[in-house]
Amino acid sequence: MAIKALIFDFDGLLMDTETTLLDSWRAEWRRHGHELDESSFFADHGGDTTDERYALLAATVGPGFDRAASHARRTAYRKERHRTMGLTAGLDAWLGEAEGLGLRLAVASSSQHEWVAGHLARTGDLARFEVLACGDEVAAPKPDPAVYRLALDRLGLPPEAAVAFEDTPHGVSAAVAAGLRCVAIPNLYAHNARFVQATLRLRAATETTLTSLLTRLEERHSG
């Protein structure tokens, strides 16, 4: 079946909000005279780990830790960083190609709808996406395939008619479990060796045109 839709992850794929997240926590640890253990920072799922991260920082700092003040600093820092953040390099060109090819566009994210829609509206890209499927609309985050199944249901398409784009191993697992072909563009904090389930893997969206990429996918599928 021909490809009719593209489904994109949001955090770390469409926008590099993963870096601002890490930087905000790194700054908070250093403010209290400690270093963040970055090796275990990113979870193997798309769920919210904010409470666990604060609990670890509080246990390290001790009784003087002020979570409310820490949270206010972190969110202000990220808000300022996000103010000028656009789509990841190469993605704007891909979306333009997709529109020219008549492909339908969707987002499948473990983040909340308000977060995803707010950022896409800020950059003027929200209207490009016919469907948003988000973490607060399903029972479990990635690697559970629920959010991809929701996106497919809203598109009214079977999985073989769409392609997913992901930046994490658990995101790829979710897409594959939903029956989708998946193109992986690993983020800076993910180990390339963990993307064995991906149909194709790229270093960056800038290394190829979308048209060429879709041709490769179709060739692999027909082969």
Side-chain angles (χ1 to χ4, degrees):
M1 181 178 289
I3 296 170
K4 297 180 180 179
L6 310 179
I7 308 177
F8 293 87
D9 174 53
F10 182 73
D11 293 289
L13 193 287
L14 280 173
M15 290 189 190
D16 186 18
T17 54
E18 303 285 29
T19 294
T20 64
L21 179 66
L22 177 60
D23 286 349
S24 71
W25 281 99
R26 184 190 289 130
E28 281 304 298
W29 278 74
R30 289 178 177 172
R31 180 183 182 88
H32 295 287
H34 300 280
E35 286 294 324
L36 172 68
D37 179 5
E38 299 179 16
S39 66
S40 59
F41 180 76
F42 289 103
D44 285 332
H45 60 80
D48 187 359
T49 58
T50 302
D51 285 342
E52 292 89 338
R53 287 169 175 159
Y54 274 125
L56 180 58
L57 179 55
T60 303
V61 173
F65 179 69
D66 186 335
R67 172 168 172 163
S70 177
H71 186 68
R73 284 191 299 268
R74 276 203 330 101
T75 53
Y77 171 87
R78 291 191 80 198
K79 184 176 182 179
E80 180 59 25
R81 287 279 298 274
H82 292 161
R83 188 174 59 82
T84 56
M85 179 179 287
L87 297 177
T88 303
L91 267 295
D92 181 66
W94 277 16
L95 297 182
E97 281 188 77
E99 291 160 352
L101 293 168
L103 295 171
R104 301 165 69 189
L105 299 175
V107 173
S109 171
S110 288
S111 292
Q112 294 189 352
H113 185 278
E114 182 181 11
W115 173 265
V116 176
H119 280 294
L120 291 174
R122 176 181 54 78
T123 60
D125 294 301
L126 181 59
R128 305 172 91 167
F129 293 92
E130 178 181 341
V131 164
L132 299 185
C134 299
D136 50 350
E137 301 178 289
V138 295
K142 301 170 186 177
D144 190 286
V147 74
Y148 273 110
R149 289 174 177 159
L150 178 61
L152 288 167
D153 183 64
R154 288 177 173 171
L155 287 166
L157 292 174
E160 56 267 27
V163 176
F165 295 83
E166 277 285 352
D167 70 303
T168 63
H170 59 265
V172 173
S173 294
V176 171
L180 290 153
R181 286 170 281 178
C182 186
V183 176
I185 308 177
N187 67 47
L188 295 172
Y189 317 104
H191 297 293
N192 286 350
R194 299 183 62 201
F195 287 85
V196 293
Q197 287 186 291
T199 312
L200 289 174
R201 187 175 64 197
L202 304 176
R203 292 184 300 275
T206 52
E207 75 176 64
T208 184
T209 64
L210 178 66
T211 303
S212 295
L213 176 62
L214 296 180
T215 298
R216 289 171 61 190
L217 284 170
E218 292 285 29
E219 288 173 348
R220 288 176 67 103
H221 186 66
S222 60

